[in-house]
Amino acid sequence: MSELGVNTVSFAGKAAASSQFKSTYAEGMGLVEETASYLDGPGRAAAKVLPRQASVLYAAESMRLTTRLMQMASWLLLQRAVNNGEMSRDQVISEKSKVRLDGFNVDRAAPGWNDLPESFRDLVERSLRLQNRISLLDREIYRPEEEIIHPDNENSVQAQLNLLRTAFNAG
């Protein structure tokens, strides 16, 4: 409800339960599996032959990558639980406060970065892009109501158009 007393459509809420979320969920969980397979197989073999500096960087970045993916998977599972009615929105808000969706950036200029296997760097880049999309979705879905601006002079049609602009510019 807006301050105008007009029913508005929550596009963020709809997006969270949409095929877009299902696609993001599948991509996230697939990336978790793909990364685990890589790190346990080809990545392990590749890491053994890296120069020392790249080897240390590989160890640090693989921990960051794993942590980043686990945080995103946690968020995706929480959102799926609320979408499926297994948890209330308030329960998810409480639990998601334990999830970090930021602070896992990469220093591509770090010594040894270019020596890392290309497939590993690709996994890192894909995880960062997914992290950004999930962070944006999280901000839209869980933005506090007081941050949603409802000018007194804005008519209901204009309010809906602004919501549409926000929804489509976010993607």
Side-chain angles (χ1 to χ4, degrees):
M1 277 287 200
S2 76
E3 291 175 356
L4 300 171
V6 176
N7 288 329
T8 59
V9 177
S10 169
F11 289 102
K14 298 278 188 211
S18 71
S19 61
Q20 177 191 6
F21 172 76
K22 290 175 186 160
S23 172
T24 302
Y25 179 87
E27 180 183 353
M29 293 308 179
L31 191 55
V32 167
E33 288 179 33
E34 182 182 350
T35 300
S37 292
Y38 175 82
L39 293 175
D40 284 342
R44 186 181 309 264
K48 290 180 181 179
V49 297
L50 289 173
R52 174 149 172 67
Q53 198 168 35
S55 179
V56 171
L57 183 60
Y58 180 89
E61 289 301 330
S62 62
M63 285 192 309
R64 285 188 195 105
L65 173 61
T66 302
T67 302
R68 182 182 315 114
L69 289 170
M70 290 301 103
Q71 294 296 309
M72 289 188 291
S74 295
W75 187 92
L76 290 166
L77 288 167
L78 285 169
Q79 190 56 49
R80 186 182 73 173
V82 77
N83 289 351
N84 292 340
E86 298 162 2
M87 293 177 78
S88 72
R89 181 180 166 90
D90 289 340
Q91 288 173 311
V92 168
I93 289 171
S94 173
E95 287 300 313
K96 84 175 205 67
S97 67
K98 302 170 191 168
V99 175
R100 285 188 54 207
L101 293 174
D102 58 359
F104 295 109
N105 291 324
V106 171
D107 181 6
R108 293 168 189 88
W113 175 259
N114 291 327
D115 294 328
L116 297 176
E118 185 178 339
S119 48
F120 176 76
R121 287 181 291 159
D122 179 63
L123 289 169
V124 169
E125 295 298 335
R126 289 169 47 207
S127 73
L128 289 168
R129 285 191 301 270
L130 183 61
Q131 175 189 14
N132 287 335
R133 288 199 333 261
I134 289 173
S135 293
L136 180 62
L137 192 56
D138 179 71
R139 284 191 302 274
E140 287 300 313
I141 294 170
Y142 296 102
R143 175 176 38 190
E145 181 64 31
E146 61 271 9
E147 288 184 20
I148 301 172
I149 299 169
H150 302 288
D152 292 333
N153 62 351
E154 183 177 59
N155 68 41
S156 61
V157 172
Q158 186 62 47
Q160 292 301 311
L161 288 173
N162 288 340
L163 285 172
L164 279 169
R165 265 189 221 99
T166 301
F168 287 106
N169 288 335

